[in-house]
Amino acid sequence: MHENLQHHFGYKLEDELLKEIQEIGVLKKVPENDILIEIGTNITHMPLLIDGAIKILREDNNGQELLLYFIEQGDTCAMSLTCSLASNKSEIRAVAETQATIILIPVQKMEQWMSKYKSWRQFILQSYQDRLTELLDAIDTIAFLKMDARLFKYLKDKAMVNHNDFLQVTHQEIATDLHTSRVVVSRLLKSLEQSGKIKMHRNNIQVVQL
DNA sequence: ACATTAAGTGATT
DNA sequence: AATCACTTAATGT
Protein backbone atom coordinates (compact mmCIF):
# COMPACT_ATOMS: atom_id res chain seq x y z
CA MET A 1 0.00 0.00 0.00
CA HIS A 2 2.85 2.32 0.81
CA GLU A 3 4.42 2.05 -2.63
CA ASN A 4 1.06 2.63 -4.23
CA LEU A 5 0.42 5.73 -2.20
CA GLN A 6 3.87 7.09 -2.75
CA HIS A 7 3.63 6.55 -6.44
CA HIS A 8 0.24 8.10 -7.07
CA PHE A 9 -0.10 10.68 -4.37
CA GLY A 10 3.39 11.20 -2.98
CA TYR A 11 4.06 14.23 -5.09
CA LYS A 12 0.98 16.10 -3.99
CA LEU A 13 0.31 15.06 -0.41
CA GLU A 14 2.60 15.67 2.56
CA ASP A 15 4.40 12.76 4.20
CA GLU A 16 2.54 12.94 7.49
CA LEU A 17 -0.77 12.78 5.70
CA LEU A 18 0.37 9.82 3.65
CA LYS A 19 1.22 8.09 6.90
CA GLU A 20 -2.25 8.74 8.28
CA ILE A 21 -3.83 7.48 5.10
CA GLN A 22 -1.82 4.32 5.45
CA GLU A 23 -2.98 3.80 9.00
CA ILE A 24 -6.63 4.61 8.47
CA GLY A 25 -7.35 3.81 4.86
CA VAL A 26 -8.46 0.37 3.81
CA LEU A 27 -6.99 -1.00 0.64
CA LYS A 28 -9.55 -2.71 -1.51
CA LYS A 29 -9.57 -4.36 -4.88
CA VAL A 30 -12.85 -4.23 -6.72
CA PRO A 31 -13.82 -6.27 -9.78
CA GLU A 32 -15.06 -4.77 -13.00
CA ASN A 33 -18.65 -3.48 -12.90
CA ASP A 34 -18.69 -3.38 -9.12
CA ILE A 35 -20.95 -0.60 -7.86
CA LEU A 36 -18.96 1.63 -5.52
CA ILE A 37 -21.58 4.25 -4.83
CA GLU A 38 -25.29 3.87 -5.43
CA ILE A 39 -27.78 6.64 -6.01
CA GLY A 40 -29.71 7.60 -2.92
CA THR A 41 -27.34 6.03 -0.44
CA ASN A 42 -25.35 7.76 2.23
CA ILE A 43 -21.66 7.99 1.65
CA THR A 44 -19.58 6.79 4.55
CA HIS A 45 -16.25 6.38 2.83
CA MET A 46 -14.51 8.21 0.09
CA PRO A 47 -12.50 6.24 -2.44
CA LEU A 48 -9.00 7.21 -3.48
CA LEU A 49 -8.38 5.63 -6.82
CA ILE A 50 -4.99 3.90 -7.01
CA ASP A 51 -5.39 2.18 -10.32
CA GLY A 52 -8.11 1.28 -12.74
CA ALA A 53 -10.95 3.53 -13.75
CA ILE A 54 -14.39 4.43 -12.45
CA LYS A 55 -17.35 5.68 -14.44
CA ILE A 56 -19.82 8.14 -13.02
CA LEU A 57 -23.44 7.76 -14.09
CA ARG A 58 -26.59 9.74 -13.67
CA GLU A 59 -30.02 8.18 -13.80
CA ASP A 60 -33.39 9.55 -14.89
CA ASN A 61 -36.79 8.82 -13.39
CA ASN A 62 -37.25 5.74 -15.50
CA GLY A 63 -33.98 4.23 -14.43
CA GLN A 64 -32.28 5.14 -17.70
CA GLU A 65 -28.60 5.78 -17.33
CA LEU A 66 -26.35 8.45 -18.73
CA LEU A 67 -22.60 8.44 -18.50
CA LEU A 68 -21.14 11.64 -17.12
CA TYR A 69 -17.42 10.97 -17.09
CA PHE A 70 -14.62 8.63 -16.18
CA ILE A 71 -12.32 9.01 -13.21
CA GLU A 72 -8.75 7.83 -13.55
CA GLN A 73 -6.05 6.87 -11.11
CA GLY A 74 -4.78 9.41 -8.62
CA ASP A 75 -8.14 11.01 -8.19
CA THR A 76 -11.21 10.81 -6.05
CA CYS A 77 -14.92 11.37 -5.91
CA ALA A 78 -15.18 14.86 -4.52
CA MET A 79 -18.90 14.50 -4.15
CA SER A 80 -18.39 12.27 -1.16
CA LEU A 81 -17.13 15.28 0.76
CA THR A 82 -20.16 17.50 0.22
CA CYS A 83 -22.43 14.60 0.78
CA SER A 84 -20.85 13.79 4.07
CA LEU A 85 -20.83 17.38 5.29
CA ALA A 86 -24.49 17.84 4.52
CA SER A 87 -25.24 14.17 5.21
CA ASN A 88 -26.89 14.04 1.84
CA LYS A 89 -27.58 11.09 -0.34
CA SER A 90 -25.52 10.44 -3.41
CA GLU A 91 -26.81 11.96 -6.63
CA ILE A 92 -24.74 9.70 -8.80
CA ARG A 93 -23.73 6.12 -9.25
CA ALA A 94 -20.09 5.11 -9.37
CA VAL A 95 -19.24 1.87 -11.12
CA ALA A 96 -15.83 0.28 -11.62
CA GLU A 97 -15.11 0.57 -15.32
CA THR A 98 -12.14 -1.72 -15.00
CA GLN A 99 -10.87 -3.81 -12.18
CA ALA A 100 -9.68 -1.19 -9.73
CA THR A 101 -7.69 -0.68 -6.57
CA ILE A 102 -8.98 1.88 -4.13
CA ILE A 103 -8.27 3.12 -0.64
CA LEU A 104 -11.34 3.79 1.43
CA ILE A 105 -11.22 6.73 3.80
CA PRO A 106 -13.97 7.39 6.35
CA VAL A 107 -15.56 10.73 5.58
CA GLN A 108 -15.03 12.03 9.12
CA LYS A 109 -11.32 11.85 8.50
CA MET A 110 -11.71 13.84 5.35
CA GLU A 111 -13.19 16.68 7.34
CA GLN A 112 -10.43 16.60 9.91
CA TRP A 113 -7.76 16.56 7.29
CA MET A 114 -9.28 19.55 5.57
CA SER A 115 -8.17 21.78 8.41
CA LYS A 116 -5.11 19.81 9.35
CA TYR A 117 -3.35 19.41 6.05
CA LYS A 118 -2.87 22.09 3.47
CA SER A 119 -2.02 19.58 0.78
CA TRP A 120 -5.26 17.71 1.45
CA ARG A 121 -7.29 20.88 1.15
CA GLN A 122 -5.61 21.62 -2.14
CA PHE A 123 -6.09 18.10 -3.35
CA ILE A 124 -9.82 18.20 -2.62
CA LEU A 125 -10.29 21.63 -4.15
CA GLN A 126 -8.35 20.61 -7.22
CA SER A 127 -10.45 17.50 -7.46
CA TYR A 128 -13.57 19.66 -7.34
CA GLN A 129 -12.25 21.81 -10.10
CA ASP A 130 -11.40 18.78 -12.23
CA ARG A 131 -14.84 17.27 -11.74
CA LEU A 132 -16.51 20.55 -12.57
CA THR A 133 -14.51 20.85 -15.75
CA GLU A 134 -15.43 17.35 -16.71
CA LEU A 135 -19.07 18.04 -16.00
CA LEU A 136 -19.00 21.09 -18.25
CA ASP A 137 -17.33 18.99 -20.88
CA ALA A 138 -20.04 16.38 -20.49
CA ILE A 139 -22.72 19.04 -20.93
CA ASP A 140 -21.01 20.35 -24.06
CA THR A 141 -20.84 16.86 -25.43
CA ILE A 142 -24.49 16.13 -24.81
CA ALA A 143 -25.78 19.51 -25.89
CA PHE A 144 -23.62 20.40 -28.85
CA LEU A 145 -22.29 17.21 -30.36
CA LYS A 146 -24.31 15.00 -32.63
CA MET A 147 -24.70 11.39 -31.73
CA ASP A 148 -21.93 10.20 -34.04
CA ALA A 149 -19.41 12.58 -32.47
CA ARG A 150 -20.60 11.65 -29.00
CA LEU A 151 -20.17 8.00 -29.79
CA PHE A 152 -16.65 8.49 -31.09
CA LYS A 153 -15.69 10.56 -28.07
CA TYR A 154 -17.11 7.86 -25.84
CA LEU A 155 -15.02 5.21 -27.56
CA LYS A 156 -11.88 7.32 -27.33
CA ASP A 157 -12.44 8.03 -23.64
CA LYS A 158 -13.12 4.41 -22.96
CA ALA A 159 -9.99 3.34 -24.81
CA MET A 160 -8.00 5.88 -22.82
CA VAL A 161 -9.12 4.86 -19.34
CA ASN A 162 -8.75 1.20 -20.22
CA HIS A 163 -5.31 1.72 -21.75
CA ASN A 164 -6.51 -0.51 -24.52
CA ASP A 165 -7.60 0.23 -28.08
CA PHE A 166 -9.67 -2.90 -28.20
CA LEU A 167 -12.91 -2.34 -26.37
CA GLN A 168 -14.86 -5.34 -25.22
CA VAL A 169 -18.32 -3.97 -25.23
CA THR A 170 -21.65 -4.71 -26.85
CA HIS A 171 -23.64 -2.20 -28.85
CA GLN A 172 -26.35 -2.41 -26.25
CA GLU A 173 -23.98 -1.46 -23.45
CA ILE A 174 -22.78 1.55 -25.39
CA ALA A 175 -26.36 2.55 -26.05
CA THR A 176 -27.14 2.39 -22.34
CA ASP A 177 -24.16 4.55 -21.41
CA LEU A 178 -25.02 7.14 -24.02
CA HIS A 179 -28.72 6.94 -23.28
CA THR A 180 -29.72 6.03 -26.81
CA SER A 181 -30.90 2.92 -28.61
CA ARG A 182 -28.90 -0.04 -29.75
CA VAL A 183 -30.02 0.37 -33.34
CA VAL A 184 -28.61 3.87 -33.50
CA VAL A 185 -25.29 2.72 -32.05
CA SER A 186 -25.03 -0.11 -34.56
CA ARG A 187 -25.62 2.23 -37.45
CA LEU A 188 -23.26 4.91 -36.26
CA LEU A 189 -20.56 2.37 -35.53
CA LYS A 190 -20.82 1.18 -39.07
CA SER A 191 -20.39 4.67 -40.43
CA LEU A 192 -17.43 5.23 -38.12
CA GLU A 193 -15.89 2.08 -39.47
CA GLN A 194 -16.46 3.21 -43.03
CA SER A 195 -14.72 6.49 -42.33
CA GLY A 196 -11.78 4.53 -40.93
CA LYS A 197 -12.01 5.76 -37.35
CA ILE A 198 -12.67 2.36 -35.86
CA LYS A 199 -12.57 -1.27 -36.78
CA MET A 200 -15.17 -3.72 -35.64
CA HIS A 201 -14.35 -7.26 -34.76
CA ARG A 202 -16.40 -9.93 -33.19
CA ASN A 203 -17.41 -8.78 -29.73
CA ASN A 204 -14.94 -5.93 -29.65
CA ILE A 205 -14.20 -2.62 -31.24
CA GLN A 206 -10.81 -1.20 -32.07
CA VAL A 207 -10.34 2.53 -31.89
CA VAL A 208 -7.96 3.46 -34.67
CA GLN A 209 -7.86 7.23 -34.66
CA LEU A 210 -6.90 8.31 -31.20
C1' DA B 1 -31.48 -29.40 -32.99
C1' DC B 2 -33.25 -25.59 -30.40
C1' DA B 3 -32.95 -21.37 -27.53
C1' DT B 4 -30.62 -17.24 -26.53
C1' DT B 5 -28.04 -13.21 -27.43
C1' DA B 6 -25.69 -9.82 -30.37
C1' DA B 7 -25.85 -7.33 -34.39
C1' DG B 8 -27.68 -5.73 -39.19
C1' DT B 9 -31.47 -3.59 -42.03
C1' DG B 10 -35.70 -1.33 -43.88
C1' DA B 11 -39.51 1.33 -42.95
C1' DT B 12 -41.99 4.70 -40.21
C1' DT B 13 -42.46 8.70 -37.16
C1' DA C 1 -32.58 10.05 -33.59
C1' DA C 2 -36.09 6.72 -31.84
C1' DT C 3 -38.95 2.78 -32.47
C1' DC C 4 -40.75 -1.35 -34.61
C1' DA C 5 -40.43 -5.42 -36.95
C1' DC C 6 -37.80 -8.72 -38.91
C1' DT C 7 -33.38 -11.16 -40.33
C1' DT C 8 -28.86 -13.08 -39.72
C1' DA C 9 -24.87 -14.77 -37.24
C1' DA C 10 -22.74 -16.67 -33.33
C1' DT C 11 -22.88 -19.17 -29.04
C1' DG C 12 -24.63 -22.06 -25.49
C1' DT C 13 -27.33 -26.36 -23.83
Side-chain angles (χ1 to χ4, degrees):
Chain A
M1 173 157 161
H2 180 256
E3 316 82 65
N4 279 335
L5 267 176
Q6 200 63 43
H7 183 237
H8 293 291
F9 298 97
Y11 64 97
K12 54 179 154 192
L13 299 179
E14 42 211 295
D15 290 344
E16 248 185 273
L17 175 54
L18 289 174
K19 244 164 118 188
E20 271 210 63
I21 294 177
Q22 247 185 102
E23 284 165 22
I24 290 156
V26 179
L27 191 70
K28 197 179 170 193
K29 282 194 187 280
V30 293
E32 196 180 330
N33 292 325
D34 207 42
I35 298 174
L36 301 174
I37 297 172
E38 182 55 286
I39 296 165
T41 58
N42 277 315
I43 297 173
T44 54
H45 291 78
M46 93 178 266
L48 282 179
L49 190 55
I50 301 297
D51 65 49
I54 294 173
K55 63 178 175 182
I56 305 298
L57 305 156
R58 196 96 168 89
E59 196 180 66
D60 73 6
N61 303 327
N62 306 320
Q64 303 265 31
E65 290 186 341
L66 175 65
L67 178 111
L68 292 181
Y69 48 75
F70 294 104
I71 290 180
E72 289 188 274
Q73 60 184 44
D75 225 318
T76 183
C77 170
M79 177 168 280
S80 42
L81 179 68
T82 27
C83 280
S84 66
L85 290 175
S87 69
N88 273 334
K89 314 275 188 199
S90 175
E91 299 282 341
I92 50 91
R93 173 181 299 141
V95 180
E97 165 73 16
T98 65
Q99 188 206 304
T101 311
I102 57 177
I103 297 179
L104 289 171
I105 315 257
V107 286
Q108 300 93 302
K109 280 292 161 193
M110 293 184 55
E111 285 183 62
Q112 280 177 234
W113 291 347
M114 281 294 274
S115 46
K116 198 166 166 189
Y117 298 107
K118 191 174 162 204
S119 64
W120 181 254
R121 204 158 50 239
Q122 264 175 346
F123 172 61
I124 296 296
L125 285 175
Q126 183 62 50
S127 170
Y128 256 106
Q129 174 126 39
D130 292 347
R131 270 347 108 222
L132 189 59
T133 306
E134 275 176 304
L135 254 186
L136 289 176
D137 193 51
I139 291 176
D140 285 348
T141 304
I142 296 160
F144 303 135
L145 292 185
K146 298 222 169 101
M147 205 57 206
D148 57 345
R150 271 182 72 194
L151 174 61
F152 189 47
K153 183 181 187 308
Y154 168 85
L155 294 172
K156 280 191 292 184
D157 286 348
K158 204 172 173 71
M160 201 182 303
V161 299
N162 281 286
H163 304 292
N164 190 352
D165 296 355
F166 293 87
L167 303 174
Q168 275 217 282
V169 66
T170 66
H171 297 187
Q172 182 57 63
E173 285 165 349
I174 298 174
T176 307
D177 275 348
L178 294 180
H179 201 188
T180 180
S181 68
R182 193 222 96 220
V183 189
V184 171
V185 171
S186 291
R187 286 183 176 140
L188 291 175
L189 280 174
K190 205 172 77 174
S191 75
L192 282 177
E193 183 171 44
Q194 275 162 2
S195 58
K197 292 178 173 172
I198 62 165
K199 278 182 186 165
M200 284 194 275
H201 309 86
R202 185 196 301 188
N203 270 327
N204 74 77
I205 299 165
Q206 179 187 11
V207 184
V208 177
Q209 273 183 26
L210 288 171

